[in-house]
Amino acid sequence: MSLGDEGQTRTRLPDSGQDVYGGARRGGRTSSRSLVTVVGVVVLLIAAIAFANRGGDDSSSANGSADKPNSAPTTASGTKPVRGRTNGIPTGFAHDQQGAQSAAANYAVTLGSTGMFTKDSRHSIVDSLYTPAAASKLQSAMDGAYSSDFLGKLGLDANGNAPQGSTFVSRVVPVGTTAQQYSDSTAKVAVWYLGLIGMSGTNSTDPVTSTWKTWTFDLQWSADGWKIVTDTQKDGPAPVPGDDKAATSDAISKAIKEYGGFTYAR
């Protein structure tokens, strides 16, 4: 998008005869548009346990100290974020406010990954990231949400696999975090992120698109580190789309395979 001398906004549309992914039409984009947020929707089923284990005074400043500048909520601290990984998931976040924010960012990445679309991987992720009480109630709800019918609408088979020659994309890229509440035992952390979702392939009718959302986690400290008690999502804040030309399906598939993700730190 660019601004002309007249102050009017101009938006670049696809070149004539060059529809994204060979003519794919966006339509209403009902199921897949909210794909990245399916976890946040499902967890509403366990809202009753959202604050069950919360304790202490959670009215602490989001910055943890009144003398910290308010202008630096997203500046990097330089503190090492984690000690290692367990089953591919970053673990060992510090027992402090920075550790809680780092945990929330990396948990958003994991929960927004393609691993959530296969049953065994999803169960492992939920058991690893949530408190035992939350995980036990969430597993069956998750299985119901990721039904064969739902996966089929996304172009995946009943096991969550993409068709041969296609690449299913589901990624969360955190932009910043903020601790809305913090105590020694609990934390409420919001993660602002860019999500990528869709199917990359020559026959895809649902090309990879981006979405902006905020994912808020209620965390609890346990012997195993920070665990999720409950989480919710909301749209935005979304910037004005740029004047970028959409890539081809081959370019998107190649990029997804070549560019790995990061371990995020507050």
Side-chain angles (χ1 to χ4, degrees), residues 185-227:
S185 59
T186 64
K188 188 182 188 71
V189 180
V191 182
W192 180 35
Y193 73 87
L194 165 68
L196 300 176
I197 193 72
M199 186 75 74
S200 178
T202 56
N203 296 321
S204 172
T205 59
D206 190 22
V208 179
T209 58
S210 60
T211 181
W212 290 87
K213 296 186 180 294
T214 300
W215 206 334
T216 302
F217 296 90
D218 284 292
L219 303 173
Q220 175 183 306
W221 180 260
S222 70
D224 296 328
W226 291 108
K227 298 292 184 180

Side-chain angles (χ1 to χ4, degrees), residues 161-257:
N161 299 313
Q164 185 174 3
S166 296
T167 301
F168 179 61
V169 180
S170 181
R171 282 197 184 187
V172 162
V173 184
V175 176
T177 64
T178 185
Q180 297 178 343
Q181 295 176 352
Y182 181 78
S183 72
D184 189 58
S185 59
T186 64
K188 188 182 188 71
V189 180
V191 182
W192 180 35
Y193 73 87
L194 165 68
L196 300 176
I197 193 72
M199 186 75 74
S200 178
T202 56
N203 296 321
S204 172
T205 59
D206 190 22
V208 179
T209 58
S210 60
T211 181
W212 290 87
K213 296 186 180 294
T214 300
W215 206 334
T216 302
F217 296 90
D218 284 292
L219 303 173
Q220 175 183 306
W221 180 260
S222 70
D224 296 328
W226 291 108
K227 298 292 184 180
I228 305 170
V229 178
T230 189
D231 55 300
T232 57
Q233 294 198 53
K234 65 179 182 179
D235 293 338
V240 176
D243 194 21
D244 300 313
K245 182 178 180 180
T248 64
S249 62
D250 288 342
I252 292 293
S253 296
K254 186 173 183 289
I256 289 296
K257 294 174 182 178

Side-chain angles (χ1 to χ4, degrees), residues 21 32 35 69 73 86 123 127 162 186 211 231:
Y21 294 5
S32 57
L35 182 58
T86 301
H123 280 211
D127 284 338
T186 64
T211 181
D231 55 300

Side-chain angles (χ1 to χ4, degrees), residues 14 37 68 113 122 147 165 194 265:
T37 67
K68 288 187 177 181
S113 70
R122 180 172 63 251
S147 64
L194 165 68

